[in-house]
Amino acid sequence: MALIECEKVEKVYQDGELTTPALGGVSFKVESGEFVAIMGPSGSGKSTLLHILGFLDGLTRGKYYFDGKTIEEFSKEEIAGVRNKKMGFVFQAFNLLSRTTVLENVKLPLAYSGRKEEEWDALARSAIDGVGLSHRINHEPSQLSGGEKQRVAIARALVNEPQVIFADEPTGNLDSKSGQAIMEILQKLNEKRGHTILLITHETYTAEHAQRIITMKDGMIESDHRVDHRMRADGFKK
């Protein structure tokens, strides 16, 4: 059974009498443990699709299955639980709390996880160590570089040990060296820890870290193919 499955998913935005189609019938599956990149120009529907997959937005028509259940089968409380415990999110803008340490930022999702509070510190420290930021654990976001901020965002996404990580243009605000370091972390999470990763990007060299690339255009899937020569974590192709 696929972890993620879309059947003819459509999304239409309505503003008064103005109708704006964003997705025009998207169908695909993602198996557990896959690393899939979704590419396309601005306005192609890739971010809208990610928001639907991450239960951040609803669909207009079609079916979306997560772990074998359609979104209609989840209650509001269950949706919140799935988003918190089974999904991790990494965004281009980092979305960190200012005037709050790296440790406290990473601990934030645990407040809604149902885990015992005495476990939070160790879980957060483990996630921070996993992205190589233990030496910055008591720093605030204003004291970090862009690449370090994105590492904190990844640690926060990992702290509840989710089934899938949704990464929306995670290298978009970074220089090439920092972006490469972020892709190295994501690739290792997939290859060594088995995390399912869905990456939204417009950069081919970033997408080639994935096992598979789905290309979108005008709200439709234009192509879906395996990556024959994946980019290695060190920036060279296999």
Side-chain angles (χ1 to χ4, degrees), residues 99-138:
R99 299 185 181 180
T100 305
T101 65
V102 167
L103 180 62
E104 294 303 318
N105 265 287
V106 174
K107 283 166 66 173
L108 186 63
L110 295 169
Y112 309 96
S113 68
R115 292 178 182 266
K116 295 178 181 178
E117 192 169 350
E118 54 264 33
E119 298 176 349
W120 295 0
D121 202 73
L123 288 166
R125 288 177 181 274
S126 176
I128 292 165
D129 183 60
V131 298
L133 272 187
S134 293
H135 63 297
R136 297 289 202 187
I137 200 163
N138 294 313

Side-chain angles (χ1 to χ4, degrees), residues 32-165:
S32 181
E34 271 198 286
F35 188 161
V36 179
I38 301 176
M39 288 192 69
S42 179
S44 62
K46 58 187 188 297
S47 289
T48 297
L49 178 59
L50 181 139
H51 288 165
I52 291 172
L53 299 180
F55 290 175
L56 300 172
D57 199 358
L59 50 83
T60 305
R61 283 177 290 275
K63 292 287 184 182
Y64 168 40
Y65 298 87
F66 180 81
D67 213 8
K69 291 173 64 175
T70 67
I71 191 169
E72 291 83 8
E73 294 178 82
F74 291 96
S75 67
K76 288 184 179 180
E77 292 75 17
E78 287 173 330
I79 286 174
V82 168
R83 236 180 0 229
N84 180 258
K85 297 175 185 178
K86 295 188 176 183
M87 299 175 175
F89 298 90
V90 181
F91 297 103
Q92 181 177 347
F94 316 131
N95 295 340
L96 303 180
L97 298 178
S98 60
R99 299 185 181 180
T100 305
T101 65
V102 167
L103 180 62
E104 294 303 318
N105 265 287
V106 174
K107 283 166 66 173
L108 186 63
L110 295 169
Y112 309 96
S113 68
R115 292 178 182 266
K116 295 178 181 178
E117 192 169 350
E118 54 264 33
E119 298 176 349
W120 295 0
D121 202 73
L123 288 166
R125 288 177 181 274
S126 176
I128 292 165
D129 183 60
V131 298
L133 272 187
S134 293
H135 63 297
R136 297 289 202 187
I137 200 163
N138 294 313
H139 286 60
E140 295 180 0
S142 62
Q143 299 171 299
L144 304 177
S145 69
E148 288 172 333
K149 290 176 184 177
Q150 196 60 290
R151 288 182 187 221
V152 177
I154 292 173
R156 183 182 56 194
L158 289 174
V159 75
N160 275 326
E161 300 175 345
Q163 286 180 272
V164 58
I165 297 172

